[in-house]
Amino acid sequence: HVQLVESGGGSVQAGGSLTLSCSVSGHDYTNCMGWFREAPGREREGVAALVPYGSSTTREGGGSTSYNDAVKGRFNISQDNAKSTVYLQMRNLRPEDTAMYYCAITTARVCDHVSITFGERGQGTQVTVS
């Protein structure tokens, strides 16, 4: 049974930074990992996705990443295989980044910030930028 546990959310002022963490267990760590966000009145939005290093031979492109244009250059997704953890470093945050952020995993053949929105998710962590 897959478990995804997010942490690191909080309230920051515009221009500030936060790093979200996602502890992953109970799955094949070679699957596509990433983050999406949801805010009241807005559609679910993919943020970033990553193909983990050490991927099985069925998935190529280990280490490749995909970002929503709205966060490119400001957010960075990374992994720590030893800790089975995926991170989302967010800097230069804007009020429009305010949302509940969910860590997700998917077995979709294409791993990108769009496919991750359909993945299995954790409980979420709130990010508020004022």
Side-chain angles (χ1 to χ4, degrees):
H1 177 65
V2 175
Q3 283 194 309
L4 306 166
V5 180
E6 303 96 332
S7 61
S11 297
V12 296
Q13 292 187 334
S17 300
L18 283 173
T19 296
L20 307 183
S21 299
C22 175
S23 177
V24 186
S25 62
H27 82 111
D28 179 356
Y29 198 59
T30 62
N31 287 318
C32 176
M33 300 291 305
W35 298 84
F36 65 84
R37 62 190 182 186
E38 292 183 340
R42 289 164 47 188
E43 293 186 358
R44 178 177 294 186
E45 182 178 45
V47 175
L50 174 147
V51 179
Y53 283 111
S55 295
S56 70
T57 55
T58 59
R59 186 181 288 284
E60 297 179 350
S64 63
T65 56
S66 168
Y67 295 94
N68 188 308
D69 284 346
V71 307
K72 275 183 181 177
R74 301 188 297 122
F75 290 14
N76 182 69
I77 186 171
S78 62
Q79 63 172 129
D80 182 336
N81 277 352
K83 298 180 180 179
S84 296
T85 302
V86 177
Y87 302 98
L88 185 68
Q89 296 169 294
M90 308 183 293
R91 60 184 179 87
N92 192 19
L93 284 161
R94 305 167 180 168
E96 54 264 38
D97 294 319
T98 295
M100 183 71 80
Y101 283 71
Y102 296 92
C103 176
I105 181 171
T106 180
T107 58
R109 187 179 64 82
V110 175
C111 179
D112 62 21
H113 65 276
V114 176
S115 64
I116 202 65
T117 61
F118 300 99
E120 188 168 352
R121 65 172 176 85
Q123 84 287 352
T125 185
Q126 177 69 36
V127 172
T128 302
V129 185
S130 59

